[in-house]
Amino acid sequence: MNTYQIRFNKSRGQAGRGSMDHVWRVFENGKEFLFKNLDITVPIKSEKDANGADYNIVCQGFLSIDRETSTACITADVMAEV
């Protein structure tokens, strides 16, 4: 099971930061992914970021990626991973 931090992508549309539709930044073990959509079926909580000014959504689970719809799917079931 991994811990995920999810943030709004304030730099979307800029070079290397996804299209204007890539509104979510998902961090898994320090690696960043950009998504258009989220589908989270595990409990979530909010926390202040390390800088103390921004907030993250945090959850634990397993990530699968629907590349066709650019959706991050975070579930409690390891079998749902792609």
Side-chain angles (χ1 to χ4, degrees):
M1 188 169 294
N2 293 306
T3 298
Y4 297 93
Q5 293 177 310
I6 300 154
R7 300 178 190 152
F8 183 76
N9 184 8
K10 294 189 269 184
S11 60
R12 68 192 188 281
Q14 297 178 21
R17 302 305 301 152
S19 72
M20 287 299 290
D21 294 330
H22 287 91
V23 295
W24 299 110
R25 300 170 67 197
V26 176
F27 295 86
E28 176 187 54
N29 302 325
K31 183 175 180 181
E32 180 182 17
F33 299 89
L34 299 175
F35 293 101
K36 294 179 181 179
N37 305 292
L38 296 174
D39 183 2
I40 302 171
T41 59
V42 295
I44 62 171
K45 66 177 186 170
S46 64
E47 70 176 13
K48 271 197 173 184
D49 196 352
N51 66 18
D54 294 319
Y55 285 86
N56 298 321
I57 294 172
V58 179
C59 63
Q60 290 187 326
F62 299 95
L63 175 67
S64 63
I65 299 171
D66 182 337
R67 295 187 188 284
E68 192 170 307
T69 62
S70 185
T71 301
C73 303
I74 301 174
T75 66
D77 184 5
V78 70
M79 299 307 290
E81 282 192 290
V82 174

